[in-house]
């Protein structure tokens, strides 16, 4: 364990203004608390040695300014052990990176496979994830710096992994979203309404779908893409958005209903079809999207 070469409170408060007796009193009040916080942060990772001053400086950069009482109260709510590992990993500590591989990579691999059901891209995505977390990309620093310790590191990493997986798989696609959604709709021979529409007015269906998608909020549109096109399941999306799977399911149902309602109105206006005819088409569109979703779930 590396002993501090200076007072931790002085390091922690080095960005704060103030001097004289009040400043010294603040440092005295904070010093013991910081020493205990560093010891608590190190406890889960005895093999990792980050200098106390470096960790305290890293903590200070993630907290808003405030008086000593407020800072102590805020520090008391953080997951210090998780922050200690994150700090060590950003510093390139070999023991920390080994601990990350041992403690988190199996869980991250599972999260990636919830999106990439084929398993063919998992290793590549995991390598990209390591690069983003600990090295960064041109113009950005390591993403691990964004972890603030207010929630469990494991959940935060899973959300990052799901996002990286979706981005990686989407980058391989060049087909517009509307075309992909239409391609997901097969035309059974015993459904003459949709078969006729696709033969004679495919452009109208595509235009109605494009307009309806464009009218959705960005998050709603993204959610549909992630679920129906990227293959992310409810659990993966729940980890990404930090909500429950049931909340994701409700959001999907609401967004799908909004989308189909707008497509319905557009088709009735443009093609002069009856409500029954359009409803039959939309029921089939939805059933075929769900079939496409089931096929994604069944990929090996």
């Amino acid at each position: 364990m590396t002993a501090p070469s200076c007072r931790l409170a002085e390091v922690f408060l080095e960005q704060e203004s103030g001097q004289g007796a009040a400043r010294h009193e603040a440092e005295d009040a904070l010093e013991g608390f910081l020493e205990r916080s560093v010891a608590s942060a190190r406890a889960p990772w005895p093999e990792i040695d980050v200098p106390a001053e470096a960790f305290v400086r890293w903590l200070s950069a993630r907290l808003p300014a405030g008086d000593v009482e407020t800072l102590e109260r805020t520090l008391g709510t953080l997951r210090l052990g998780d922050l200690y590992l994150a700090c060590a990993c950003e510093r390139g500590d070999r023991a920390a990176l080994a601990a990350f591989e041992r403690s988190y990579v199996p869980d991250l691999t599972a999260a990636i496979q919830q999106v990439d059901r084929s398993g063919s891209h998992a290793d590549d995505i995991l390598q990209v994830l390591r690069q983003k977390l600990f090295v960064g990309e041109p113009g950005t620093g390591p993403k691990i710096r964004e972890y603030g310790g207010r929630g469990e590191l494991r959940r935060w990493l899973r959300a990052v992994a799901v996002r990286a997986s979706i981005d990686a798989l989407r980058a391989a696609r060049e087909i517009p979203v509307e075309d992909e959604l239409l391609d997901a709709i097969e035309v059974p021979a015993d459904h003459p309404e949709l078969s006729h529409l696709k033969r004679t007015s495919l452009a109208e269906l595509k235009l109605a779908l494009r307009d309806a998608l464009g009218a959705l909020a960005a998050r709603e549109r993204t959610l549909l893409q992630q679920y129906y096109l990227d293959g992310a399941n409810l659990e993966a999306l729940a980890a990404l958005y930090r909500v429950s799977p049931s909340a994701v399911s409700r959001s999907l149902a609401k967004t799908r209903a909004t989308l189909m309602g707008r497509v319905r109105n557009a088709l009735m206006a443009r093609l002069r079809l009856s409500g029954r005819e359009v409803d039959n088409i939309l029921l089939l569109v939805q059933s075929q999207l769900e079939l496409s979703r089931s096929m994604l779930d069944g990929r090996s």
Side-chain angles (χ1 to χ4, degrees):
M1 181 183 299
T2 304
S5 58
C6 61
R7 285 166 56 88
L8 297 180
E10 182 179 347
V11 173
F12 190 82
L13 296 170
E14 62 187 14
Q15 302 300 323
E16 300 286 330
S17 60
Q19 56 186 354
R23 171 63 180 249
H24 288 299
E25 288 178 7
E27 290 181 8
D28 289 342
L30 191 59
E31 185 70 19
F33 184 83
L34 287 173
E35 289 177 354
R36 293 190 297 274
S37 295
V38 171
S40 174
R42 283 174 167 162
W45 314 105
E47 74 279 19
I48 300 173
D49 185 16
V50 175
E53 297 96 324
F55 178 57
V56 165
R57 187 172 287 111
W58 204 78
L59 279 178
S60 178
R62 281 151 184 79
L63 294 177
D67 56 34
V68 170
E69 183 178 347
T70 300
L71 290 171
E72 288 186 0
R73 185 165 57 248
T74 302
L75 275 172
T77 67
L78 299 183
R79 301 185 68 90
L80 295 176
D82 286 350
L83 283 166
Y84 187 77
L85 178 66
C87 174
C89 284
E90 185 192 344
R91 291 168 57 86
D93 183 278
R94 290 186 178 182
L97 293 172
F100 171 83
E101 292 290 320
R102 182 175 63 250
S103 300
Y104 294 97
V105 165
D107 194 44
L108 296 182
T109 300
I112 291 169
Q113 289 173 343
Q114 287 183 326
V115 178
D116 176 30
R117 296 301 184 87
S118 70
S120 58
H121 300 89
D123 289 343
D124 291 339
I125 294 171
L126 192 55
Q127 189 56 36
V128 169
L129 182 61
R130 292 187 182 99
Q131 175 80 15
K132 286 183 176 181
L133 285 170
F134 306 131
V135 179
E137 299 175 311
T140 66
K143 192 169 183 63
I144 196 69
R145 289 178 183 170
E146 298 177 15
Y147 174 62
R150 289 169 177 78
E152 187 181 13
L153 178 60
R154 189 174 304 277
R155 291 189 63 190
W156 185 86
L157 287 169
R158 282 180 61 85
V160 174
V162 169
R163 169 59 66 189
S165 304
I166 291 172
D167 288 346
L169 294 177
R170 185 175 296 157
R173 294 204 313 261
E174 297 181 356
I175 304 173
V177 171
E178 297 80 6
D179 290 348
E180 286 198 272
L181 284 171
L182 288 171
D183 287 344
I185 303 169
E186 298 296 333
V187 185
D190 58 347
H191 286 276
E193 293 99 339
L194 184 57
S195 180
H196 175 74
L197 179 64
K198 289 195 75 173
R199 285 197 311 270
T200 63
S201 304
L202 180 61
E204 293 292 346
L205 176 58
K206 185 181 295 187
L207 182 60
L209 184 57
R210 180 179 291 113
D211 289 346
L213 283 167
L216 293 175
R219 177 164 174 163
E220 294 173 328
R221 177 185 170 96
T222 298
L223 186 63
L224 288 178
Q225 291 177 233
Q226 290 166 338
Y227 185 73
Y228 286 110
L229 303 181
D230 299 325
N233 61 19
L234 295 180
E235 289 73 21
L237 292 171
L240 177 63
Y241 292 108
R242 301 183 184 182
V243 296
S244 67
S246 61
V248 174
S249 181
R250 288 192 297 272
S251 294
L252 276 168
K254 180 179 179 181
T255 301
R256 188 169 54 241
T258 299
L259 179 72
M260 291 301 171
R262 288 171 177 162
V263 172
R264 181 184 192 275
N265 292 338
L267 290 180
M268 288 183 65
R270 290 170 179 164
L271 301 180
R272 302 188 183 282
L273 298 174
S274 69
R276 184 191 64 81
E277 290 172 317
V278 173
D279 287 342
N280 286 340
I281 291 170
L282 294 184
L283 282 173
L284 184 58
V285 168
Q286 291 187 78
S287 67
Q288 292 299 309
L289 283 176
E290 291 303 332
L291 176 60
S292 175
R293 172 68 228 184
S294 298
M295 291 173 66
L296 287 173
D297 286 339
R299 288 182 304 187
S300 59

